[in-house]
Each structure stands twice: as C-alpha cells, then as structure tokens.
C-alpha cells in the first residue's frame, strides 16, 4: 500500500499542459467495449480529426475521419460504463493565472424548441458513493455495476464531479438549490434550508413539471421545498437533534459516526436501510407505471429517486454479499499512520473513535465487501428503473441522471465515511443521459452538483431569474460540445462546517489543482494530474511556478471567504439550534419528520408508524427509520436481522435486544 509522504519540494517548473489521453491497453478493457479519444483542444470550434477506435475483444483498430464533437454510434457492452464515449480534453489553465471566479452560465431558455413537449426527468441519487471506486472511473474495479455501466455508455459522464459539502444534509441542500452552503446556512446535518430558497423542484414546477420525491433528502424543518408530491418519509430525522457543537470540539455526541459500522460489517437478511430503499423503489415504480397510463398531454414529471445505500452501516442483504464470495476484495491503497496524518484527519479519527479502535484487517475487508454489495444493490435498482422506462416506452422522452450526495473514504488513508476534501469523500459520479439531444461523451472538466439546477432548467428550455443568487453553472454547453460558450467553467468551490472540523474548511478545485484551506489547519495543495492519490502536499513547494499557484489560491480564498464572519455565524447557528432542541425535547414531542398520507381507494393511512418494542410509546411515528428520539446505534442494531454482536458475529436469532455495540461498547 502507498505510504504518506511529507510535503515535497518540486524541482521542475511546469504548467498545465495539453491533455494527453492515456495509453490504452486493449487487454485491460472488457470484451466488446469501445473507447474513443479525440484530439480537439478545448474552447475551439470542432475540427475534423482522426478518431482511433479500439475494439477490445478483437484488437482491431480502425481510423475514421469525423467531427470531434460527434461520437461513435456503435453498440456498447452492458458491463462497460465508458464504452462509446468521446473524450474531451482537460482545459489548459496556467498555474500562475487561475481565474478568480467561475463565470455563471444561467439557463438560456433556448433548448429544446418551445413547441415540443418537454421531456420527463428521472434523477436517481445514491448516498455516499465513492466515485473513484466505480468501474466507470476505474476499469479494474471489482464492483459489479452492469446497469450503471450501461447507463454510462449512453450518457455524458463527468469524470471530475464534486459535491459542494462532504456531508449529507449540506450537500443535498446545496445540490437542490444550486447555492453554496455559506449562501444558505447549510452548515451540518441539522441545518434547515430556508423556505424561501428556490430549488430545482421550484424551478421545474414553474416550467409546468409535476415534481415528485421518493426517498432521502435530509431536509430539516420544511419537508417539501418545491416538490409537489413526496412519496415516502425520510430515513433521517428532520429536526435539530443532530446539531454539532464547536464549543465542545472534543465531545463525542451519540449520533456521530463511530467504529461500529466497520466492526459490525457483514451480511444481513434485513436492515432499516433495506426497509427504506425497498419502500422507495416500490413507490417510485408505482409512480412510473401510473405516469405511463396518463394522457401523454399531461404535465411532464420530474421524479427524484433517492436511495440511502450504500451509506453505512456496512451491511447488505446476503445475496449481494454472496456476489463477492470469490472476489479478491482490495484493501485501501493508501495507509497513513495516525501520527503522520494532517490535523483535520486526526480530528476525524478522534471524532469517529478510530484513534482508539483501529479496525483489524478482517473488519476492513468485511466493510468493503458489504459496501461493494450495497453498490450492486443500488445498481440493481437503477436497472429496475431503466427497465420500467423501457417497457413503458418512456425512455426516448426521459432525461435520466445518476449521481450521489458525496463519497466515502472506505478506509483510504485510514479514514472512513466522508467529512473531508480528499477524492474518496468529495468526488461523486455524475451521468446525464438523453440520447435524443446529445451523444455519449466523457467530460473531464471539474464540475459540481451545484450545476444540476441550472442544467435541468436549461435542458427543458426553461428560464431562471438572473437577479436571484445562483452558484451553479449550466452544463448544457458540455452536453452540446459547445465549449466556447463557457470558457472558465473548470472551477469548483466547496465549503464544510460540520462535525470533525472546528473552523470553516474550504476547497477550490481548478484544472489539475486542489487547494484546501482552514484557519485551524495548515493549507494543502495537490496536483491531481501528477498525484491522484494526494500524497504530496505542495503548499511548501519551493518550485517558483507551484509557489505562485499556491500564493494565488491563498489570495483568492482570503478575498472570497470571510473566515471569521463565517465562523461566528456557524457558532451562532449551532447555539440557537441546540437551545431550541433542548427545549423541544422537553414535554410533548412534535415530530417534524414528513409522513406521506396515501389515499388508496379512499382508505387513508400513515406510513412508517411501527412500534419496535413494548417499551416505546404506542403513538410512535417513524421508529422504523432513524429518528433523534432513539439512539442511532441502538436503532440500527435492533433493525438488523439476524442480530450480531459488537464484532459483527451472528447471535442466536431473537437476541437483538441489548447487543454489544448498541451503546458504543
């Protein structure tokens, strides 16, 4: 495994050179796969170029003259995600002159034609997906995702997409609103999104769409935010119960991540996450079948299907665990001793208690195997959605998007879960498919989930009030291969102020560079083109060109963020929410969690009202899923069947009560 190295001093002056496609080993590609590389420089009109197509199963090489903006129409293998994709070049940005900001590209309202029926939209969100591990980004990955791979083969695949904040609620609040966390107060997993903040659901609803949500969105307080219908409850609490405290940075709160998800990893027959995602899939499938039976002249729909897998705890239904029985599960590639970790990573180890209980190799392998199985479970559900669209003849008129809220370190660098700006935590998959309007392609520019709102509005020919705040940038120019429309869109900004940090932790990703800064920690600078595993912190480099890049980033961050003001606002928000929660926890508890009411043949009922034991009140609502009124570890263990002990060993069935590990033992 790779080892951490101290910041190095670069000796060669370098600039961001033209993107050079990697050499292709045809034997490394899966059978029947096609990978197409073009030589078009960015921001120029497409020229006719020689395109080399390598057919992996035959080794045949053919050359064809075509426009570089077009892509091959050859069929793709269902197990190869990057098949049939044209590859754009990375932008050439001189390290010494990074643009100070990303030019906004608001929706144009010009595509598609106004007199055509607007397409339906299905947006599938998975939770905590480590993008670098997916086969569509890593052909040697052992993770079995044939349906996602098949979707990628007919999609625009963004290979360098990032979340706006590496934590569930702020990542999702920023994604739905197209605004950075500092603009909307999305600090942590108990920060409410203002009811006056426009979301993509508002924007599409204004354009005539029926906006529907099934699954997790981790809204706090208000639970619709522009969605006309919400088909399920949420798996996570919608109240202030998970408010962190920078006033007590060393205090481990009950709901923090801890080692139990890793130590207890393994197969299961049932878990609260399986319960939830099966409900999400049932409601989503039923909605699509109902939509297929409607009059075609009815309103188009945008259905958001938000699954909670592969989020920890790392346990998955046994058939998906068994899929990896004969698979050599790889260990994390980067192992960094605790004493050599950067300060923020040390805090994450302490917050999650990995500094006290480093998981043994066997537990790491079990956790990764369960995570791989959970991704295959997500993949199967993607396949179910795609099958419904196909068999109901809706595929040709439906935009399909697949992405995630953030990533998972999954043991890389000794870290687990998210909450950092390293690639495993911050990068997300992003696929956009609509073959009727754009061809498959691989896009290596840095983009953000913030960009989804303006992109969706642009895709349906809508408009957005340019006087309103918007940090996202429309990706439609990339989809249309019209790069000259937006020459500076290769910059991503990220902001984090949740648990694990004690001050605002900010990130700028531009060209090959990633810059991370926090008032409490030394800055970090990585060149991901040369150092994709982020082993060499160049913040102390004596190379003049690299030092100039670092200085420019420091100045840009200082001018962009008022760190003291942000720090003060985070503290104010945490303190007020904790006071409110302390008060609301006394006396009668009024849940903020969304409870969809279903009118089925005039028979109304409330979903998710289930008592787990006689010790709980008869009027409990939502105890099937995670709620602030039940200790997190205890609920997850009680929901898991068969029961396990603190090391994931199966117990005699019927002994779920008071398992080891239920209270952080």
């Amino acid at each position: 495994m790779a080892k951490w190295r101290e910041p190095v001093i670069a000796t060669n002056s370098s600039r961001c050179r033209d993107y050079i496609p990697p050499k292709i080993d045809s034997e490394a590609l899966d059978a029947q796969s096609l990978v197409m590389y073009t030589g078009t420089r960015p921001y120029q009109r497409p020229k006719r170029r020689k395109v080399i197509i390598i057919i992996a199963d035959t080794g045949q090489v053919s050359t064809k003259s075509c426009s570089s903006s077009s892509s091959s129409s050859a069929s793709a293998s269902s197990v190869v995600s990057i098949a049939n994709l044209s590859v754009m070049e990375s932008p050439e940005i001189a390290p010494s002159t990074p643009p100070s900001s990303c030019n906004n590209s608001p929706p144009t309202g010009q595509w598609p034609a106004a007199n055509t029926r607007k397409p339906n939209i299905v947006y599938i969100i998975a939770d905590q997906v480590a993008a670098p591990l997916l086969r569509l980004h890593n052909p040697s990955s052992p993770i079995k995702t044939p349906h996602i791979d098949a979707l990628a083969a007919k999609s625009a695949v963004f290979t360098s997409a990032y979340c706006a904040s590496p934590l569930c609620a702020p990542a999702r609040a920023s994604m739905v609103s197209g605004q950075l966390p500092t603009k909307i107060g999305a600090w942590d997993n108990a920060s409410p999104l203002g009811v006056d903040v426009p979301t993509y659901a508002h924007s599409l609803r204004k354009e005539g769409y029926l906006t529907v949500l099934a699954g997790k969105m981790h809204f706090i307080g208000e639970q619709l935010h522009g969605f006309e219908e919400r088909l399920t409850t949420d798996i996570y609490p919608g109240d202030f119960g998970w408010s962190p405290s920078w006033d007590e940075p060393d205090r481990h709160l009950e709901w923090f991540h801890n080692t139990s998800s890793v130590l207890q990893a393994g197969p299961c027959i049932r878990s609260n996450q399986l319960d939830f995602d099966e409900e999400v899939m049932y409601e989503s499938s039923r909605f699509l079948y109902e939509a297929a039976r409607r009059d075609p002249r009815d309103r188009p729909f945008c259905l958001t299907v938000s699954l909670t897998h592969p989020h920890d705890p790392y346990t998955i239904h046994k058939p998906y665990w068994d899929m990896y029985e004969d698979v050599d599960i790889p260990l994390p590639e980067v192992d960094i001793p605790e004493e050599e970790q950067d300060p923020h990573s040390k805090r994450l180890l302490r917050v999650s208690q990995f500094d006290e209980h480093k998981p043994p190799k066997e537990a790491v392998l079990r956790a990764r195997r369960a995570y791989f199985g959970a991704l295959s479970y997500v993949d199967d559900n993607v396949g179910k959605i795609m099958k419904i669209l196909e068999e109901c003849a809706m595929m040709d008129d439906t935009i399909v998007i697949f992405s995630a809220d953030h990533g998972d370190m999954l043991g890389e660098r000794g870290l687990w879960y998210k909450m950092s700006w390293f690639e495993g935590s911050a990068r997300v998959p992003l696929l956009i498919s609509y073959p009727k309007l754009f061809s498959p392609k691989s896009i290596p520019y840095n983009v953000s989930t913030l960009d989804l709102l303006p992109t969706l509005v642009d895709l349906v020919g809508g408009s957005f009030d340019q006087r309103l705040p918007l940090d996202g940038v429309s990706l439609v120019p990339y989809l249309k291969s019209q790069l000259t429309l937006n020459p500076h869109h290769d910059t991503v900004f990220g902001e984090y102020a949740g648990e694990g940090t004690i001050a605002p932790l900010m990130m700028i990703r531009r060209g090959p560079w990633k810059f991370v800064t926090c008032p409490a920690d030394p800055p970090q600078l990585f060149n991901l083109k040369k150092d994709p595993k982020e082993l060499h912190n160049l913040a102390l480099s004596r190379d003049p060109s690299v030092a100039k890049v670092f200085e420019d980033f420091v100045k840009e961050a200082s001018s962009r963020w008022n760190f003291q003001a942000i720090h003060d606002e985070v503290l104010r928000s945490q303190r007020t929410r904790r006071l409110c929660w302390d008060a609301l926890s006394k006396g009668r508890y009024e849940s903020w969690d969304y409870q969809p009411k279903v009118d089925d043949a005039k028979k109304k009922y409330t979903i998710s009202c289930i008592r787990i034991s006689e010790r709980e009140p008869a009027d409990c609502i939502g105890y099937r899923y995670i709620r602030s009124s039940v200790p997190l570890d205890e609920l997850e263990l009680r929901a898991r069947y068969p029961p396990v002990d603190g090391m994931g060993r199966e117990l005699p069935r019927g002994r779920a009560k008071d398992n080891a590990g239920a209270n952080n033992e």
Side-chain angles (χ1 to χ4, degrees):
M1 293 184 289
K3 299 291 185 179
W4 168 255
R5 302 177 186 176
E6 289 298 317
V8 300
I9 300 173
T11 57
N12 296 322
S13 176
S14 63
R15 288 182 176 270
C16 181
R17 300 179 177 86
D18 291 345
Y19 174 77
I20 301 175
K23 294 181 179 179
I24 304 175
D25 179 3
S26 61
E27 295 181 357
L29 297 175
D30 289 338
Q32 301 180 357
S33 66
L34 300 174
V35 182
M36 183 165 70
Y37 289 87
T38 68
T40 305
R41 291 169 60 85
Y43 318 136
Q44 294 180 338
R45 288 184 174 276
K47 299 178 181 179
R48 298 187 68 81
R49 296 274 180 160
K50 294 283 188 179
V51 179
I52 299 175
I53 301 178
I54 299 177
I55 304 176
D57 58 342
T58 65
Q60 176 184 355
V61 179
S62 63
T63 304
K64 181 179 179 181
S65 178
C66 64
S67 172
S68 61
S69 62
S70 66
S71 65
S72 170
S73 61
S75 63
S77 166
S78 64
V79 298
V80 181
S81 61
I82 59 172
N84 209 23
L85 305 183
S86 61
V87 179
M88 296 182 180
E89 293 184 359
S90 296
E92 182 177 357
I93 300 177
S96 59
T97 57
S100 60
S101 64
C102 182
N103 290 352
N104 255 5
S105 175
T108 63
Q110 299 175 350
W111 194 49
N115 60 350
T116 61
R117 186 186 186 277
K118 295 181 178 181
N120 298 315
I121 301 168
V122 173
Y123 177 21
I124 305 172
I125 308 173
D127 196 340
Q128 204 162 297
V129 176
L133 294 180
L134 293 178
R135 186 172 294 181
L136 65 95
H137 298 308
N138 178 7
S140 64
S141 172
I143 304 176
K144 302 173 184 180
T145 53
H147 300 293
I148 295 173
D149 298 343
L151 175 61
K154 57 181 181 180
S155 299
V157 179
F158 292 85
T159 61
S160 188
Y162 291 84
C163 64
S165 189
L167 191 66
C168 296
R172 291 166 182 267
S174 287
M175 178 269 293
V176 300
S177 67
Q179 297 187 59
L180 285 161
T182 54
K183 304 288 185 64
I184 55 176
W187 310 120
D188 51 62
N189 275 342
S191 295
L193 179 63
V195 296
D196 59 344
V197 176
T199 68
Y200 72 79
H202 288 108
S203 295
L204 293 175
R205 194 168 171 180
K206 181 177 72 71
E207 299 297 331
Y209 275 77
L210 170 62
T211 53
V212 182
L213 169 62
K216 174 183 176 180
M217 199 53 79
H218 212 154
F219 290 144
I220 306 301
E222 160 64 20
Q223 292 294 306
L224 290 176
H225 289 289
F227 288 100
E228 190 170 343
E229 295 182 18
R230 189 163 184 181
L231 305 180
T232 71
T233 186
D234 206 305
I235 191 171
Y236 280 174
D239 51 42
F240 291 156
W242 288 5
S243 299
S245 175
W246 284 2
D247 291 318
E248 303 172 280
D250 294 326
R251 180 185 175 191
H252 180 89
L253 298 176
E254 177 275 326
W255 45 267
F256 276 3
H257 283 85
N258 58 51
T259 59
S260 62
S261 287
V262 179
L263 297 178
Q264 297 166 8
C268 68
I269 295 175
R270 215 71 207 144
S271 70
N272 65 323
Q273 300 208 134
L274 287 169
D275 288 341
F276 184 76
D277 278 349
E278 292 195 5
E279 183 178 334
V280 171
M281 287 302 300
Y282 170 77
E283 294 293 346
S284 298
S285 301
R286 186 166 72 167
F287 173 84
L288 289 174
Y289 285 128
E290 290 175 352
R293 291 190 286 252
R294 292 175 184 163
D295 189 316
R297 294 168 295 182
D298 285 354
R299 298 158 64 195
F301 64 82
C302 173
L303 171 65
T304 299
V305 182
S306 186
L307 303 169
T308 189
H309 284 90
H311 193 290
D312 60 287
Y314 304 119
T315 183
I316 191 60
H317 196 198
K318 195 172 186 301
Y320 294 95
W321 172 269
D322 291 344
M323 287 176 63
Y324 294 88
E325 178 66 32
D326 298 320
V327 175
D328 184 14
I329 303 297
L331 285 166
E333 294 183 4
V334 179
D335 181 31
I336 302 176
E338 182 181 351
E339 62 273 12
E340 297 179 18
Q341 296 274 13
D342 63 273
H344 179 65
S345 295
K346 288 181 179 178
R347 282 196 302 272
L348 291 180
L349 291 172
R350 185 171 65 252
V351 162
S352 300
Q353 300 179 329
F354 283 98
D355 60 335
E356 301 174 2
H357 308 288
K358 184 176 181 179
K361 176 182 175 180
E362 295 75 16
V364 171
L365 291 173
R366 286 202 316 270
R368 289 171 69 89
R369 177 176 173 178
Y371 183 88
F372 291 3
L375 275 172
S376 294
Y377 172 78
V378 169
D379 181 78
D380 267 4
N381 286 319
V382 170
K384 291 175 184 177
I385 295 294
M386 301 300 287
K387 182 179 179 181
I388 294 173
L389 294 176
E390 289 280 5
E391 66 185 9
C392 294
M394 293 192 290
M395 183 64 77
D396 289 345
D397 295 312
T398 302
I399 298 167
V400 179
I401 301 173
F402 176 76
S403 190
D405 52 356
H406 51 72
D408 190 323
M409 292 300 291
L410 211 65
E412 292 292 344
R413 312 175 74 93
L415 302 176
W416 293 85
Y417 319 124
K418 53 270 187 175
M419 300 174 288
S420 79
W421 287 114
F422 292 118
E423 290 288 277
S425 170
R427 257 184 67 196
V428 297
L430 179 56
L431 316 178
I432 304 179
S433 177
Y434 193 38
K436 179 182 284 189
L437 283 183
F438 53 87
S439 58
K441 51 180 65 70
S442 180
I443 303 169
Y445 305 99
N446 301 311
V447 300
S448 170
T449 53
L450 295 170
D451 302 332
L452 284 169
L453 186 156
T455 300
L456 286 170
V457 175
D458 231 355
L459 280 172
V460 303
S463 61
F464 190 87
D465 189 339
Q466 298 185 31
R467 297 168 297 179
L468 297 178
L470 182 65
D471 294 308
V473 182
S474 175
L475 301 176
V476 164
Y478 291 147
L479 304 180
K480 299 170 70 174
S481 300
Q482 295 178 353
L483 304 182
T484 55
L485 296 179
N486 193 14
H488 294 298
H489 187 194
D490 188 51
T491 297
V492 169
F493 297 104
E495 302 173 341
Y496 181 65
E499 58 264 28
T501 187
I502 54 176
L505 181 67
M506 310 308 202
M507 184 271 290
I508 304 175
R509 179 80 167 90
R510 179 179 295 129
W513 303 101
K514 180 190 287 185
F515 174 72
V516 180
T517 182
C518 175
D521 304 325
Q524 295 174 309
L525 178 67
F526 300 104
N527 185 325
L528 295 187
K529 186 174 182 179
K530 298 180 178 179
D531 180 25
K533 298 187 187 304
E534 300 170 288
L535 297 175
H536 307 286
N537 182 2
L538 301 176
L540 301 179
S541 173
R542 296 180 183 176
D543 182 297
S545 63
V546 176
K548 182 65 167 63
V549 172
F550 175 71
E551 292 171 6
D552 288 344
F553 275 129
V554 171
K555 292 177 182 177
E556 181 178 355
S558 179
S559 63
R560 181 176 184 84
W561 291 293
N562 184 332
F563 285 90
Q564 186 60 55
I566 295 171
H567 188 274
D568 293 344
E569 176 56 25
V570 172
L571 281 174
R572 184 206 63 79
S573 175
Q574 290 177 353
R575 291 163 181 167
T576 56
R577 285 181 282 134
R578 290 202 310 275
L579 186 151
C580 291
W581 176 245
D582 287 344
L584 294 173
S585 301
K586 306 295 189 297
R588 183 175 65 88
Y589 175 69
E590 186 71 27
S591 173
W592 294 354
D593 303 308
Y594 187 72
Q595 298 299 326
K597 303 247 183 335
V598 178
D599 187 351
D600 195 356
K602 303 299 182 183
K603 182 173 62 177
K604 291 184 178 290
Y605 59 91
T606 301
I607 296 176
S608 301
C609 181
I610 182 170
R611 295 175 71 192
I612 292 184
S613 78
E614 294 300 321
R615 293 180 298 150
E616 289 158 359
D619 62 347
C620 71
I621 298 293
Y623 281 9
R624 175 185 296 167
Y625 303 131
I626 299 169
R627 297 296 182 254
S628 298
S629 52
V630 181
L632 176 59
D633 287 346
E634 182 179 348
L635 185 146
E636 288 181 337
L637 271 179
R638 288 190 296 174
R640 181 169 170 178
Y641 184 83
V644 297
D645 66 11
M647 294 301 293
R649 295 175 293 244
E650 186 174 328
L651 294 171
R653 301 186 182 189
R655 285 186 54 193
K657 179 181 175 182
D658 297 328
N659 290 349
N663 295 290
N664 295 327
E665 292 98 328

